[in-house]
Amino acid sequence: MVRGKTQMKRIENATSRQVTFSKRRNGLLKKAFELSVLCDAEVALIIFSPRGKLYEFSNCSMNKTIDRYQNRTKDLMSSNSTAIEDVQLEKEYDSFSMTKKLEHLEVCKRKLLGDGLDLCSIDELQQLERQLERSLSKIRSRKYQMLKDEIMKLKEEEKMLLEENAALQIKVISESSKKQESNQRSESSNHEEIMDVETELFIGPPERRSNNNNNNNNNAFL
């Protein structure tokens, strides 16, 4: 039969609680004995029942084990206290060191800006000069690099604009050519229509057409 899982809470029934205490107490005492024998460990176990009755087990002197426990606890507390003090001292030293570094950086900053140079020696002034020259060289190098990048960018934009302009010119020439061809076709069509009209007006041999023109002129003179 499978045993159900016991809930870790106070047993309300007094009889069940007493039975469970007796069973678990005997099991705990047995485990303590086995641990001391199998592992050669110094074990001391103290149990007080709900009614105040004492149950204990020790594979050696109970008082000796308790004294050893108390001494060990004092040593741990002392070592922890020392460790805490060391940590605090280290933090204070780090804070002091950081403050000194910040003050030194502030003094260097003022000197680089030209303030507080009256108390500087020749060597310090030369060192500041070299530092400023190195900084100026880096600034110029960075400026030239930025200008170079900007010029390359402008050249790429110029190339793109030239390509777009060339494409637009080709498009304009193509449209102009198409328009010219259309005009030529239109003029040719108009010329053919005029020829057709003249052909319809003058039908017959050329001699007859000349006689007709002379008669018309004589009539007009009369």
Side-chain angles (χ1 to χ4, degrees):
M1 183 175 179
V2 181
R3 296 176 59 184
K5 184 177 180 180
T6 304
Q7 295 181 359
M8 289 295 103
K9 65 178 183 178
R10 182 176 181 274
I11 300 174
E12 298 298 333
N13 187 276
T15 302
S16 299
R17 186 167 60 249
Q18 183 61 35
V19 172
T20 302
F21 173 77
S22 298
K23 291 181 179 180
R24 297 295 179 97
R25 178 201 62 201
N26 294 332
L28 184 59
L29 292 172
K30 181 179 179 181
K31 292 294 182 182
F33 172 74
E34 292 175 354
L35 181 63
S36 63
V37 174
L38 296 175
C39 301
D40 194 20
E42 184 177 350
V43 179
L45 176 62
I46 299 174
I47 302 174
F48 286 97
S49 68
R51 297 179 181 179
K53 188 175 180 179
L54 173 63
Y55 300 90
E56 63 180 11
F57 168 80
S58 178
N59 61 337
C60 60
S61 174
M62 177 66 74
N63 292 330
K64 179 181 177 181
T65 303
I66 294 175
D67 291 339
R68 183 179 178 183
Y69 169 76
Q70 291 177 346
N71 293 331
R72 179 61 178 169
T73 303
K74 290 179 181 179
D75 293 339
L76 290 174
M77 293 178 64
S78 177
S79 62
N80 290 334
S81 177
T82 303
I84 292 172
E85 291 177 357
D86 292 340
V87 171
Q88 291 178 349
L89 289 175
E90 186 176 358
K91 288 182 178 180
E92 291 177 358
Y93 175 77
D94 292 340
S95 177
F96 178 77
S97 178
M98 184 62 68
T99 303
K100 286 294 183 181
K101 289 180 180 179
L102 291 174
E103 291 177 356
H104 178 69
L105 291 174
E106 187 66 26
V107 171
C108 292
K109 178 182 176 182
R110 288 198 300 268
K111 289 180 179 180
L112 290 173
L113 294 175
D115 297 333
L117 300 178
D118 296 336
L119 301 178
C120 293
S121 63
I122 297 296
D123 294 336
E124 290 177 349
L125 292 175
Q126 289 178 350
Q127 183 178 0
L128 288 173
E129 185 179 5
R130 289 192 296 268
Q131 186 174 358
L132 288 172
E133 288 177 352
R134 288 194 298 268
S135 299
L136 183 60
S137 177
K138 291 180 180 179
I139 292 171
R140 286 175 177 172
S141 177
R142 178 57 182 167
K143 184 183 71 173
Y144 293 151
Q145 184 63 36
M146 291 180 68
L147 291 174
K148 184 178 178 180
D149 295 340
E150 188 68 21
I151 290 172
M152 292 296 295
K153 183 178 179 182
L154 292 174
K155 286 183 177 180
E156 292 178 356
E157 292 179 356
E158 181 184 7
K159 183 179 178 181
M160 292 176 61
L161 291 173
L162 290 174
E163 291 176 354
E164 292 179 358
N165 189 20
L168 290 173
Q169 287 180 355
I170 293 172
K171 185 178 179 181
V172 170
I173 292 172
S174 177
E175 292 179 354
S176 177
S177 177
K178 291 180 180 179
K179 186 176 181 180
Q180 186 176 1
E181 291 177 358
S182 177
N183 291 333
Q184 289 178 355
R185 286 196 299 268
S186 178
E187 291 177 358
S188 177
S189 177
N190 293 332
H191 182 68
E192 290 177 357
E193 290 179 358
I194 292 171
M195 293 296 294
D196 291 340
V197 171
E198 289 179 354
T199 303
E200 291 176 357
L201 291 174
F202 300 99
I203 301 175
E207 296 176 355
R208 184 178 179 184
R209 182 177 60 188
S210 176
N211 292 329
N212 291 330
N213 290 330
N214 290 330
N215 292 329
N216 291 329
N217 290 330
N218 291 329
N219 292 330
F221 179 77
L222 293 173

